[in-house]
Amino acid sequence: MLPTQPTSAQHIGHLGQQETHTGPLPSPSPSDEPPKQSPFLRLPTEIRLQIYGLLVLPRKSTDLLPSRVKVSSSAADSFDYEKKQHGTDRPAMADPCRPVLCIRTIDGDCYEQRYGKNMSRSSHTRSVYAIRADRFRARCMNTTYHCVNIPRIEDHMGIIRTNKQIHAEVAELLYSSYTFDFDTHVEAIRPFLNDLTPFARSCIKSVRFVKKGLAYDKEFDRAEWTSAMRYLTASSSDLSLRRLELGIVAGRPGPNGWDRIAKYAPQDFDLLKDADGMQWLQYLLEFKDLVELDVNAIVEHCAHATNSMAMANFIRFSASIESGFSKYLRKQLLCV
């Protein structure tokens, strides 16, 4: 994370009394001459940004691969780390043209091994938060977040210490160029963003997260979702997001489980947003002024509806995610 830089000092000239000189005016001393601007800073901004990009942005796909030091996450990801870019052998997550930083919550047991149980005696600086842990999520454990794929640019990061102007320009390029992907770990959104400086948060333009399956929502899942969405949409968070990638876990009972399901139309969600089990949508509708919105169904196998109305509604909603629901969100969230 980049530290907050102080604002430039204001230099106020002092006006003394006018003096009368009978001889020639003395030559100004070197200390009286205005400082010369760096030749680098006299370059057009576009050229400076290109130079910064060569230094601090990923240049090849291997710069964004997951770390070899595996850190266990608190929950399974929906993100497919093995997926390849179309027509290539390169991982889809390691695309330098659309770089992604994967932020995940560390498994509670792994966290204790790394940082110890007593955080007051640790030099660890990331925010600490509690998660439901163990196989049946029966107890709370303290933990924190980590980046799965830290970009391999550390050798060039010394440029941000050159001066305040370069620091600001590089920081803006860094944070605005990446998509910050939290996947199903929405509980990490608020701690991670809170640990950034207000300037760094204001530079972030793109995030990705995943809504867990509605039929399997637990009370603590709903609380985590509510807290994350309120933070992302609050004016006090200093965020000005322009792109949102939303994954939604969808249930399909077998490969043909949606074939005879009547899908919801976009206008149906004007009523469904207030229905029981859809309260999570109300917080999502608080996003404003988005320029890009990608809505994707993350399909998992689920049971047949049989006599369960809740399961039947979940299956019908799942079948509508990339059609009626996506169109509805685009109408509501994208700026015209």
Side-chain angles (χ1 to χ4, degrees), residues 91-201:
M93 69 168 296
D95 184 0
C97 296
R98 281 210 160 182
V100 175
L101 292 182
C102 299
I103 311 298
R104 301 292 186 264
T105 295
I106 298 176
D107 179 79
D109 291 329
C110 178
Y111 169 78
E112 289 187 355
Q113 295 170 7
R114 277 191 143 205
Y115 302 112
K117 295 182 179 181
N118 190 347
M119 289 306 303
S120 63
R121 299 178 183 177
S122 173
S123 60
H124 184 49
T125 57
R126 299 177 188 175
S127 291
V128 178
Y129 51 95
I131 59 169
R132 290 280 183 168
D134 290 343
R135 181 178 178 184
F136 299 103
R137 308 182 79 178
R139 67 186 178 114
C140 289
M141 297 179 68
N142 280 344
T143 189
T144 190
Y145 57 84
H146 74 117
C147 181
V148 174
N149 59 328
I150 298 175
R152 292 156 175 81
I153 57 174
E154 59 273 10
D155 292 341
H156 304 144
M157 289 303 295
I159 189 174
I160 68 173
R161 295 189 291 271
T162 306
N163 63 34
K164 288 177 285 188
Q165 180 179 343
I166 292 178
H167 180 282
E169 292 175 345
V170 174
E172 182 174 4
L173 178 67
L174 271 174
Y175 287 102
S176 64
S177 297
Y178 286 96
T179 293
F180 291 83
D181 172 26
F182 298 90
D183 204 77
T184 57
H185 300 252
V186 295
E187 72 280 355
I189 291 178
R190 185 167 191 155
F192 172 78
L193 294 177
N194 254 344
D195 285 347
L196 300 179
T197 65
F199 176 75
R201 282 198 302 273

Side-chain angles (χ1 to χ4, degrees), residues 28-302:
S29 65
S31 60
D32 295 331
E33 296 178 358
K36 295 181 179 179
Q37 189 180 30
S38 163
F40 178 75
L41 293 178
R42 291 202 297 267
L43 292 173
T45 304
E46 295 80 4
I47 295 179
R48 292 203 305 273
L49 291 177
Q50 291 180 18
I51 296 173
Y52 299 148
L54 293 174
L55 294 175
V56 301
L57 294 182
R59 302 178 64 180
K60 52 186 183 297
S61 58
T62 53
D63 290 341
L64 287 169
L65 290 178
S67 171
R68 293 182 180 179
V69 181
K70 179 66 175 175
V71 179
S72 299
S73 295
S74 63
D77 294 342
S78 67
F79 199 98
D80 186 358
Y81 291 94
E82 303 301 322
K83 184 179 179 181
K84 305 297 183 182
Q85 298 178 37
H86 181 70
T88 73
D89 292 329
R90 291 180 296 178
M93 69 168 296
D95 184 0
C97 296
R98 281 210 160 182
V100 175
L101 292 182
C102 299
I103 311 298
R104 301 292 186 264
T105 295
I106 298 176
D107 179 79
D109 291 329
C110 178
Y111 169 78
E112 289 187 355
Q113 295 170 7
R114 277 191 143 205
Y115 302 112
K117 295 182 179 181
N118 190 347
M119 289 306 303
S120 63
R121 299 178 183 177
S122 173
S123 60
H124 184 49
T125 57
R126 299 177 188 175
S127 291
V128 178
Y129 51 95
I131 59 169
R132 290 280 183 168
D134 290 343
R135 181 178 178 184
F136 299 103
R137 308 182 79 178
R139 67 186 178 114
C140 289
M141 297 179 68
N142 280 344
T143 189
T144 190
Y145 57 84
H146 74 117
C147 181
V148 174
N149 59 328
I150 298 175
R152 292 156 175 81
I153 57 174
E154 59 273 10
D155 292 341
H156 304 144
M157 289 303 295
I159 189 174
I160 68 173
R161 295 189 291 271
T162 306
N163 63 34
K164 288 177 285 188
Q165 180 179 343
I166 292 178
H167 180 282
E169 292 175 345
V170 174
E172 182 174 4
L173 178 67
L174 271 174
Y175 287 102
S176 64
S177 297
Y178 286 96
T179 293
F180 291 83
D181 172 26
F182 298 90
D183 204 77
T184 57
H185 300 252
V186 295
E187 72 280 355
I189 291 178
R190 185 167 191 155
F192 172 78
L193 294 177
N194 254 344
D195 285 347
L196 300 179
T197 65
F199 176 75
R201 282 198 302 273
S202 69
C203 296
I204 293 177
K205 304 303 177 188
S206 178
V207 297
R208 176 186 178 269
F209 50 82
V210 172
K211 180 70 178 71
K212 296 177 181 178
L214 306 181
Y216 313 109
D217 254 1
K218 304 295 183 183
E219 189 61 37
F220 44 82
D221 291 328
R222 288 192 286 269
E224 289 169 349
W225 173 267
T226 300
S227 175
M229 296 305 104
R230 284 178 172 173
Y231 185 86
L232 288 173
T233 57
S235 58
S236 58
S237 300
D238 302 307
L239 288 165
S240 54
L241 297 176
R242 292 295 177 264
R243 184 170 182 268
L244 172 61
E245 292 185 47
L246 173 64
I248 303 177
V249 176
R252 183 170 60 190
N256 302 317
W258 292 344
D259 288 356
R260 298 184 180 181
I261 299 297
K263 298 179 180 180
Y264 288 117
Q267 59 271 22
D268 293 334
F269 290 96
D270 287 325
L271 296 176
L272 288 172
K273 67 182 181 181
D274 298 319
D276 186 40
M278 293 293 289
Q279 294 87 347
W280 63 275
L281 178 55
Q282 299 174 7
Y283 300 105
L284 191 62
L285 294 176
E286 295 297 319
F287 281 94
K288 304 295 182 184
D289 299 327
L290 293 177
V291 178
E292 293 184 61
L293 175 65
D294 292 332
V295 181
N296 301 298
I298 301 169
V299 182
E300 296 182 353
H301 177 76
C302 71

